[in-house]
Amino acid sequence: MAKIKMTTPLVEMDGDEMTRILWQEIKELLISPFVELNTEYYDLGLPYRDQTDDKVTVEAAEAIKKYGVGVKCATITPNAARVEEYNLKQMWKSPNGTIRAILDGTVFRAPVTVKGVEPLVPTWTQPIVIARHAYGDIYKCTETQVEAGSKAELVITAPDGSQKVLPVHSYNSDGIVMGMHNVDSSIESFARSCFNYALDTGMSIMFGAKDTISKVYDHRFKDVFNEVYEKDYKAKFEQAGISYDYYLIDDAVQRVMKSKGGFIWACKNYDGDVMSDMVASAFGSLAMMSSVLVSPDGNYEYEAAHGTVTRHYYKYLKGEETSTNPIATIFAWTGALAKRGELDGNQDLVDFAKRLEKASLDTIESGVMTGDLYLVSTLENKKKVSSKDFLLEIQNRLKTAQ
Ligand code: NAP
Ligand code: MG
């Protein structure tokens, strides 16, 4: 079989620890034998980020802007212990944060569902994709403790210097206060990313906020979503046969619980932070959660939702064989290859990505799986294998499927 060619490069961002090992093996066993891989490679592994003063992360993000599609391996976000472990020049920022700031994107987390790993909510027969607005609110707030007898006020100074003073609270006892903000441009980008992703995937979308209580702040979110939808997306949604609905957040939650799945749930920053963990754990395993960053101007970055699986890596370094689940990383690659193929009109590449996804899921459904799934799978004939054997099994299926 001739290998599939790629006309435009894919931005490839390597990473750290166990996922860096899986990264190489996935490329070597599942992609390179079938595709003439054309990537622009950026090493986001911590040693090289340190060596380049983290410039490599910025260059990778710029490359995604240039080519439109990237695939990223999980990376270490350094803390004090990592600074010591890797002898770092400084505690570099989270690469994901840096890339997100440059692309101005929204992260969509989608569970990979498979027979034998049943969601904890029995009605959820299809994935629920969570979109989290990753800007502002309590994540960029100013807060302080307040002494009894104090008065807290909100002061807004207009460009002309005039001031508006709004009372917050007069304190009879000790307490706390917080000021937080958001901006229309960020909410609008968020809305656009959500609507684009819905059109891309053919899934309907719902958004929830607390506009009845927060009549200005949360209501602004609702209004911006509605304005963007009415103006630029309504017609496209009707044509695609999908819908956009706004619900009060409480109502959204009860609808999600009773749903069959198969839709996108757009969340404000805090709701998305909390609900994505609930949805991920209810779908079985973090190792089965893929993630894509979509920018409002149509750039895509695919990755696994989990981290570098440090505990497994330390075992690997001792020479032990690990049974780390590569599915989310495989799906990062297939997502990116399919998107590259779609943008380039390269149907062979799109088809290959789908074949690789199917071979991966068929392998698990045949009973061959990594340790994390072995623990939760309800299949009777299940067998736990090492990461390498799991990848080889997928490769076998891919070869026979050709
Ligand atoms: P983690 O790498 O997601 O792993 C936490 C635990 O979850 C693992 O010890 C393992 O449990 C299980 N797990 C996660 N992925 C798995 C997989 N593919 N197969 C099997 N089990 C899996 O989170 P962490 O240990 O908190 O963080 C490690 C490093 O990753 C940190 O340096 C952090 O900065 C980084 N991180 C990066 C990203 C990113 O790049 N997007 C995201 C999160 C964290 P058992 O040990 O019980 O088997
Ligand atoms: Mg969270």
Side-chain angles (χ1 to χ4, degrees), residues 8 30 55 228 245 303 308 338 387:
T8 318
L30 301 184
K55 285 198 182 64
V228 172
D245 290 291
E303 67 164 350
T308 58
S387 301

Side-chain angles (χ1 to χ4, degrees), residues 273-274 276-277:
D273 184 350
V274 177
S276 62
D277 285 288

Side-chain angles (χ1 to χ4, degrees), residues 36-344:
E36 224 165 77
L37 247 190
N38 176 6
T39 70
E40 199 165 290
Y41 179 86
Y42 293 86
D43 185 357
L44 301 199
L46 189 49
Y48 195 65
R49 270 184 279 148
D50 192 51
Q51 202 180 311
T52 60
D53 293 336
D54 208 20
K55 285 198 182 64
V56 65
T57 308
V58 175
E59 285 165 9
E62 295 296 343
I64 299 173
K65 273 187 152 173
K66 177 172 169 195
Y67 294 114
V69 189
V71 58
K72 181 180 167 291
C73 180
T75 47
I76 293 170
T77 298
N79 53 17
R82 297 296 199 170
V83 171
E84 201 167 311
E85 182 183 356
Y86 283 82
N87 191 20
L88 300 179
K89 294 182 205 161
Q90 55 166 281
M91 205 185 289
W92 303 109
K93 284 195 217 151
S94 148
N96 287 12
T98 302
I99 294 168
R100 201 156 57 213
I102 292 171
L103 294 182
D104 178 27
T106 297
V107 175
F108 297 85
R109 275 176 141 206
V112 177
T113 52
V114 63
K115 204 167 70 209
V117 182
E118 309 303 334
L120 297 178
V121 179
T123 52
W124 290 1
T125 54
Q126 293 168 56
I128 293 170
V129 178
I130 295 237
R132 170 180 171 191
H133 182 215
Y135 177 83
D137 301 352
I138 64 164
Y139 301 86
K140 253 194 179 336
C141 74
T142 307
E143 54 183 0
T144 184
Q145 293 193 338
V146 182
E147 192 189 328
S150 309
K151 182 170 73 170
E153 293 170 333
L154 194 57
V155 180
I156 293 131
T157 309
D160 66 4
S162 65
Q163 290 196 324
K164 189 154 80 175
V165 180
L166 304 168
V168 175
H169 192 66
S170 293
Y171 292 78
N172 294 326
S173 66
D174 291 354
I176 41 184
V177 68
M178 171 194 281
M180 63 180 196
H181 80 283
N182 225 299
V183 290
D184 285 6
S185 58
S186 175
I187 303 168
E188 184 178 330
S189 303
F190 175 50
R192 286 188 189 282
S193 297
C194 287
F195 293 141
N196 286 341
Y197 188 81
L199 286 171
D200 256 15
T201 55
M203 279 192 271
S204 289
I205 177 162
M206 69 155 91
F207 175 52
K210 196 74 183 176
D211 64 293
T212 49
I213 299 295
S214 172
K215 290 182 167 41
V216 176
Y217 199 106
D218 274 30
H219 210 287
R220 188 73 199 127
F221 278 82
K222 177 182 177 180
D223 289 345
V224 170
F225 262 75
N226 272 338
E227 284 158 22
V228 172
Y229 177 70
E230 290 291 330
K231 184 162 157 277
D232 291 332
Y233 291 92
K234 195 175 179 189
K236 292 180 196 158
F237 267 51
E238 278 165 7
Q239 204 173 15
I242 57 176
S243 60
Y244 163 65
D245 290 291
Y246 173 86
Y247 301 106
L248 195 60
I249 183 71
D250 332 30
D251 192 18
V253 168
Q254 67 90 12
R255 280 170 192 273
V256 167
M257 296 313 293
K258 288 196 245 163
S259 75
K260 295 204 290 277
F263 58 89
I264 302 158
W265 182 10
C267 293
K268 286 183 64 206
N269 209 348
Y270 176 83
D271 298 335
D273 184 350
V274 177
M275 292 305 172
S276 62
D277 285 288
M278 186 193 74
V279 170
S281 59
F283 272 106
S285 162
L286 197 56
M288 298 291 280
M289 185 66 71
S290 71
S291 167
V292 55
L293 175 73
V294 181
S295 81
D297 43 2
N299 299 309
Y300 294 78
E301 184 217 37
Y302 294 82
E303 67 164 350
H306 61 76
T308 58
V309 211
T310 310
R311 213 177 61 82
H312 294 211
Y313 181 59
Y314 290 157
K315 281 192 183 168
Y316 170 88
L317 288 181
K318 283 195 222 146
E320 287 176 41
E321 224 176 30
T322 76
S323 184
T324 316
N325 189 339
I327 286 288
T329 306
I330 294 172
F331 274 65
W333 273 99
T334 55
L337 290 172
K339 179 53 78 178
R340 187 70 274 161
E342 186 193 313
L343 294 178
D344 294 347

